[in-house]
Amino acid sequence: MTTRRRPLAATQGAGKRPLLFGLVAVLGLMAIAGFAPYQAAQAQTSGMSSARLDAAIDAWLSDDELAGLQTLAGLAQAGDVTAQVLLGLIDKHAALQGPAVLALPRDGRIALLRAPGGISGQNWLHLAAKEGDPLAQAWTSVFRPGADLDTAAQFAAMSEPRALALALTSLAKRQEHGFKDSVIAQDWYPDTLLFLGRDRTLTQARAAALHPGDPQHRYHKGARPTKADLADWLAQAPAALHLRATCEAVCPATQEHCVMALYHALGDYQALLTHGTPANALIPDEVFAASPRGRAALARRIMLMRSTRMREADREKLSAVDSCATDWLGTQYEAHTPRAIPAAEN
């Protein structure tokens, strides 16, 4: 089985910093002290249910999409909270939905991904949250207007870097002047989002501590890394894991150029940070990145960042960087574009 391994660290190398008081401080201390991994809360799942869950996740990761999701749906309907969380996150994030799901009619997608109730069903996360699942509760908080730093700290304590980045970037969009120094000084605050400081800029001191190829440098006086520095950052940064894993699988002969091409195709540093596994505690990010479903999800995320016209316009530019990556994206775009089913002939 490829699932349920130890999660990656949420802060990606952040150093120890002073803590604030209140709930944020408590959660930060829990993370430092080795807060029990989220999956430990799932340990009471029965052996048979656990085996079915692992098989469903493995099928989904291997790109047997419908088989995996259908089993997850059955488990969710039977009350398996972990299955409910995964289905809820897949439903919430379009990049996690592949060609088989996109080809279904609307009512088919609703029946597969959502719980019964209302005109369009209801997201499974809400039911899992009502059952007391901490990850579901944190995710449902993110989607509410009142989400705050406590939610971000919860994700950090549960070692969920994608969710942490999404919580912080979403909160920053609602903040007029960015985060205070006292927030960025928190031990749980990731070094990947230092640019969300006051006035949404990167200070000289913080810029000096970053890798010269870190894309955050553009938030410090508009400085942009050189091509060589950016390539070096992409080759080692945890944030670029999915680019490297995809290129290793689909363009091994031109891997470095492929990574650069996919980075430019994504075209957004924050999108890179908020892309990844549905839940790191259930499917570790390195497992998801190395899977067929993980590669397809990256292509789908890139596809969602561009209109059809923009994707066509980008092809020539990307081909100049790496034709292999460009060709792979083309096949993925084709696969993820639903086709109308021709009417049956009389």
Side-chain angles (χ1 to χ4, degrees), residues 2-346:
T2 56
T3 59
R4 303 188 182 197
R5 299 179 187 172
R6 184 176 62 84
L8 297 173
T11 56
Q12 298 181 346
K16 296 294 181 67
R17 306 183 181 107
L19 293 172
L20 291 173
F21 296 100
L23 179 58
V24 171
V26 173
L27 289 166
L29 287 167
M30 291 166 70
I32 298 169
F35 182 64
Y38 167 77
Q39 66 265 40
Q42 314 303 315
Q44 296 180 353
T45 304
S46 70
M48 184 177 296
S49 176
S50 179
R52 289 185 63 201
L53 179 65
D54 283 340
I57 294 174
D58 286 344
W60 185 66
L61 288 174
S62 65
D63 231 8
D64 191 356
E65 189 177 19
L66 285 186
L69 293 177
Q70 286 166 352
T71 302
L72 285 175
L75 289 168
Q77 291 161 11
D80 188 303
V81 176
T82 303
Q84 292 173 357
V85 171
L86 284 175
L87 279 178
L89 290 171
I90 292 168
D91 179 47
K92 281 287 187 183
H93 301 285
L96 299 174
Q97 300 166 25
V101 171
L102 298 177
L104 293 173
R106 180 176 179 274
D107 58 348
R109 291 196 300 273
I110 291 173
L112 181 65
L113 298 178
R114 298 183 181 178
I119 298 176
S120 301
Q122 57 181 324
N123 187 278
W124 282 108
L125 283 173
H126 298 293
L127 278 74
K130 290 179 181 177
E131 292 296 321
D133 183 89
L135 187 56
Q137 290 174 338
W139 269 109
T140 53
S141 295
V142 167
F143 299 119
R144 296 186 187 126
D148 55 23
L149 286 170
D150 289 349
T151 301
Q154 284 180 305
F155 283 133
M158 289 187 285
S159 296
E160 293 291 340
R162 180 179 80 93
L164 173 60
L166 182 62
L168 288 172
T169 54
S170 297
L171 183 57
K173 288 178 181 178
R174 300 197 298 269
Q175 303 237 357
E176 185 176 353
H177 300 296
F179 295 127
K180 297 178 180 178
D181 289 345
S182 57
V183 173
I184 294 180
Q186 294 305 291
D187 184 83
W188 55 263
Y189 192 94
D191 289 342
T192 52
L193 290 171
L194 295 177
F195 73 93
L196 292 179
R198 190 171 294 276
D199 298 323
R200 304 289 295 274
T201 59
L202 185 68
T203 65
Q204 174 65 40
R206 289 173 184 149
L210 294 176
H211 185 288
D214 194 312
Q216 290 185 90
H217 282 291
R218 71 186 181 90
Y219 296 97
H220 175 63
K221 299 181 179 180
R224 291 182 179 274
T226 66
K227 182 178 179 180
D229 284 340
L230 177 59
D232 188 63
W233 180 83
L234 289 169
Q236 59 184 283
L241 167 68
H242 291 265
L243 306 182
R244 294 193 300 272
T246 294
C247 290
E248 183 179 357
V250 303
C251 297
T254 60
Q255 186 172 350
E256 180 178 335
H257 299 292
C258 170
V259 169
M260 184 69 76
L262 293 185
Y263 176 74
H264 286 308
L266 189 61
D268 187 276
Y269 173 67
Q270 294 183 50
L272 188 67
L273 300 182
T274 55
H275 175 75
T277 178
N280 192 48
L282 302 177
I283 306 174
D285 216 30
E286 68 271 23
V287 173
F288 186 72
S291 70
R293 174 99 312 272
R295 295 192 288 273
L298 176 61
R300 170 80 166 145
R301 182 64 185 269
I302 292 172
M303 183 178 180
L304 291 170
M305 299 290 290
R306 300 283 187 272
S307 67
T308 302
R309 180 175 297 179
M310 289 176 67
R311 290 197 297 269
E312 290 302 317
D314 281 345
R315 285 179 66 87
E316 185 174 346
K317 294 179 181 178
L318 292 177
S319 291
V321 180
D322 187 61
S323 60
C324 177
T326 307
D327 291 343
W328 175 76
L329 279 176
T331 62
Q332 289 294 311
Y333 292 164
E334 184 73 16
H336 283 85
T337 302
R339 304 298 176 187
I341 300 175
E345 297 182 1
N346 295 326

